[in-house]
């Protein structure tokens, strides 16, 4: 029996397919090259409720946000890798520059981002808190970023040759 489709192309498709869980947690991002910081924070995000939805930037959205060298993996691949994590229950693609429309439609109980953000820089915080939900910023795992991995690849220098900070 194939696993149920868990990569949705819109919030409407998700809402039509998935009964409202108890506590719905939501986070979003590009998730181009998954690293330990992603894995840790997504596991912690899932533990905040009963269901974790990840809003995933489309390829065009990532390119606008991170530059023409990105994404390094297309949205289908990025979604497949996220859905391979036990902590991720569903992925919803969004093509806009921000997940505001997605968050407005989804009405999550918990909005989650990593510690590289502040409450003032998290899109959707007012929507979620205005409906009685909460924003949670999870600890940032230092030394891990997709950009850093990309830089290593482009420089031809692996971790053993990386200048020590
Ligand atoms: N090291 C980390 N520890 C914890 N959370 C992280 C870490 N890096 C990114 N995140 C979180 O992962 C989500 C997706 O971020 P993103 O895909 O931009 O990762 P990134 O590694 O920062 O990528 P890039 O270097 O391209 O900006 C965001 O919510 C962000 O807060
Ligand atoms: O992967 P990123 O760059 O952490 O994800 C971005 O997050 C932005 C964030 O939600 C702002 O609070 C979002 O606007 C952007 O579209 C990316 O998802």
């Amino acid at each position: 029996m194939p696993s149920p489709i868990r990569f949705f192309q819109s919030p409407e498709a998700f809402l039509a397919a998935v009964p409202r869980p108890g506590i719905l947690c939501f986070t979003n991002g590009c998730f181009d090259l998954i690293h330990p910081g992603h894995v840790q924070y997504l596991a912690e995000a899932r533990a905040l409720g009963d269901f974790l939805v990840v809003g995933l930037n489309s390829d065009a959205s990532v390119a606008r946000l991170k530059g023409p060298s990105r994404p390094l993996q297309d949205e289908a691949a990025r979604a497949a890798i996220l859905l391979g994590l036990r902590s991720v229950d569903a992925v919803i693609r969004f093509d806009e520059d921000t997940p505001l429309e997605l968050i407005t439609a989804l009405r999550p109980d918990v909005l989650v981002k990593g510690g590289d953000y502040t409450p003032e820089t998290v899109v959707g915080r007012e929507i979620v808190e205005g409906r009685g939900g909460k924003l949670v910023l999870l600890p940032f795992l230092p030394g891990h970023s997709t950009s850093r991995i990309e830089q290593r690849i482009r420089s031809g220098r692996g971790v053993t040759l990386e200048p020590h900070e």
Side-chain angles (χ1 to χ4, degrees):
M1 179 69 177
S3 64
I5 302 295
R6 298 184 293 143
F7 181 25
F8 299 91
Q9 299 302 302
S10 70
E12 293 75 21
F14 170 80
L15 292 168
V18 179
R20 182 82 184 185
I23 297 175
L24 177 60
C25 300
F26 175 89
T27 192
N28 58 277
C30 299
F31 298 101
D32 200 359
L33 297 177
I34 295 293
H35 54 67
H38 290 139
V39 173
Q40 173 184 289
Y41 119 93
L42 288 169
E44 291 173 3
R46 176 64 179 79
L48 294 169
D50 302 303
F51 198 97
L52 176 62
V53 173
V54 176
L56 185 68
N57 291 76
S58 67
D59 292 341
S61 178
V62 173
R64 291 194 301 270
L65 187 66
K66 309 266 184 181
S69 72
R70 305 284 294 283
L72 297 161
Q73 295 193 103
D74 67 27
E75 56 203 39
R78 291 182 283 124
I81 292 168
L82 283 167
L83 290 167
L85 298 176
R86 187 175 307 140
S87 53
V88 176
D89 296 296
V91 173
I92 304 177
R93 174 187 181 275
F94 69 95
D95 200 30
E96 298 81 6
D97 289 344
T98 80
L100 188 60
E101 288 179 30
L102 176 51
I103 291 168
T104 302
L106 215 54
R107 299 180 295 111
D109 301 296
V110 186
L111 175 59
V112 187
K113 291 291 281 185
D116 46 334
Y117 286 92
T118 64
E120 295 70 30
T121 59
V122 176
V123 169
R125 175 173 62 89
E126 297 83 355
I127 297 279
V128 172
E129 292 178 345
R131 291 192 175 128
K134 65 179 179 180
L135 166 68
V136 177
L137 296 178
L138 291 170
F140 187 81
L141 190 62
H144 293 283
S145 74
T146 300
S147 299
R148 188 169 186 164
I149 297 169
E150 182 192 18
Q151 285 158 6
R152 284 191 189 126
I153 294 170
R154 295 190 188 284
S155 73
R157 286 197 304 271
V159 294
T160 58
L161 296 178
E162 195 167 55
H164 291 289
E165 289 177 346

